[in-house]
Amino acid sequence: MRELARWCLLRIGGAVFVLWAVATLTFFAVRLIPGDPAEALLGGPGSQTSPEALAAVRVQYGLDQSLPVQYLAQLGRLLTGDLGRSYALKVDVAPLILSQLWGTLILAICALAVAWLIAVGLVVWATRGGRVAWAIGSGIEIVAAALPSFWLATALIVLFSSWLGWLPPISTPGPIGLILPMLALAIPLAGFLGQVMREPMSAALDAPFVVSARARGEGDIGIRMRHVLRHAALPAISLSGWAFGSLISGAVVVETIFARPGLGRTLLNAVTVRDVPVVLGVVLVVALAYILMTITTDALSRIVDPRVRNA
């Protein structure tokens, strides 16, 4: 019980530090972009806004104060759970993010599940088929992991929309519109997961418990799926926490290409107009999702591998 409490306290402390670091880096990164934020709020450099209007906007949003004062004020609002109000959209940031969060989470979760299915199927096939299957599987994993999401998304649109006409080129409501964005994110991740599972699965096939299972008359598929896969999945489970964060980050490009509503497009639009509250809110939500997923994968590792729990 004491070790569990210590583990929880360490995770909570690490989460608080990560959220503070993310908020700090994001705030200064957005504010250090060249240009006048007040001018961006009023339509950009070509808007020909009067000096009086610029001064009024600076006072309204506290932009007339020094950068450290603005940072401390923003941090104080975040500590109270107030994400602020969008500069450009003139709406509260929290409801705006919540309205876009579900679509991005569905996309990331489905992409992670599909990536696992592809990786497990490829690794099981490669380890059963001999040297030829091993070489082909290894090549597929390397190529898949190297594919950029934006290029893959474009290729999927050309293949399945322009040539075959099977799927819509933009994301439509319902499961059909989710397929291409999901594959654009899942295929590269499947390459990474397959690479980290291949060697542990191959090593586990020579372990004594496999010999015992074969002696009990268990079939090859049962041995691989019930016993060997548990050992091979440990590195991939640890990788899934990082992978989930990368999927949400990759959604910025994929959602833009497929015109899919979500946090990615919201973040891109907010950065374009230097909408600091929206940028901070989206990045903090993404960081929180990454932290929760990392804690979940750590807990799964402790459940799957008793050695981690007893360490």
Side-chain angles (χ1 to χ4, degrees):
M1 183 63 67
R2 182 179 299 177
E3 291 299 324
L4 179 61
R6 180 173 177 271
W7 182 81
C8 292
L9 288 175
L10 287 174
R11 292 299 182 272
I12 293 172
V16 172
F17 174 78
V18 169
L19 291 175
W20 167 79
V22 166
T24 301
L25 292 174
T26 304
F27 176 85
F28 285 105
V30 175
R31 292 308 308 274
L32 292 177
I33 296 175
D36 187 353
E39 193 175 62
L41 291 174
L42 294 174
S47 60
Q48 298 181 347
T49 307
S50 65
E52 293 78 11
L54 287 173
V57 168
R58 292 191 185 101
V59 173
Q60 179 183 357
Y61 291 101
L63 300 175
D64 57 331
Q65 300 174 344
S66 65
L67 200 59
V69 172
Q70 295 179 44
Y71 165 70
L72 292 176
Q74 183 70 53
L75 196 61
R77 288 192 293 268
L78 291 177
L79 289 175
T80 62
D82 181 12
L83 296 179
R85 190 171 176 83
S86 170
Y87 291 168
L89 301 176
K90 305 298 188 294
V91 297
D92 290 337
V93 173
L96 173 66
I97 291 177
L98 288 176
S99 67
Q100 303 295 323
L101 177 61
W102 184 243
T104 299
L105 285 181
I106 287 293
L107 176 61
I109 292 171
C110 291
L112 183 61
V114 170
W116 264 92
L117 290 175
I118 295 173
V120 170
L122 188 61
V123 169
V124 170
W125 171 76
T127 53
R128 289 191 68 201
R131 293 183 178 180
V132 175
W134 180 278
I136 294 175
S138 179
I140 293 174
E141 291 166 359
I142 293 173
V143 172
L147 291 176
S149 294
F150 67 88
W151 182 90
L152 183 57
T154 305
L156 290 173
I157 291 175
V158 172
L159 176 60
F160 291 102
S161 298
S162 301
W163 290 358
L164 300 176
W166 292 352
L167 297 169
I170 61 174
S171 183
T172 57
I176 297 298
L178 185 64
I179 294 176
L180 291 184
M182 178 180 63
L183 289 177
L185 292 174
I187 291 175
L189 178 58
F192 284 108
L193 294 176
Q195 286 178 318
V196 300
M197 283 195 289
R198 174 185 298 273
E199 291 297 335
M201 177 168 278
S202 178
L205 286 171
D206 298 326
F209 68 85
V210 172
V211 178
S212 300
R214 293 188 191 279
R216 294 194 301 269
E218 190 160 358
D220 186 66
I221 294 295
I223 290 174
R224 292 174 188 272
M225 301 305 296
R226 292 181 56 189
H227 302 287
V228 175
L229 184 60
R230 180 177 179 179
H231 293 263
L234 287 173
I237 290 175
S238 300
L239 184 66
S240 294
W242 163 85
F244 189 75
S246 70
L247 288 174
I248 296 181
S249 301
V252 174
V253 176
V254 171
E255 288 176 352
T256 302
I257 293 175
F258 289 99
R260 178 181 175 81
L263 289 181
R265 292 183 67 191
T266 302
L267 178 61
L268 182 62
N269 295 334
V271 171
T272 303
V273 298
R274 301 183 66 180
D275 197 340
V276 177
V278 175
V279 174
L280 270 176
V282 172
V283 173
L284 284 175
V285 168
V286 172
L288 182 60
Y290 170 76
I291 290 168
L292 293 176
M293 189 63 184
T294 302
I295 293 174
T296 301
T297 55
D298 286 347
L300 285 175
S301 297
R302 294 166 67 88
I303 293 172
V304 172
D305 190 355
R307 295 171 299 180
V308 176
R309 189 167 59 249
N310 297 330

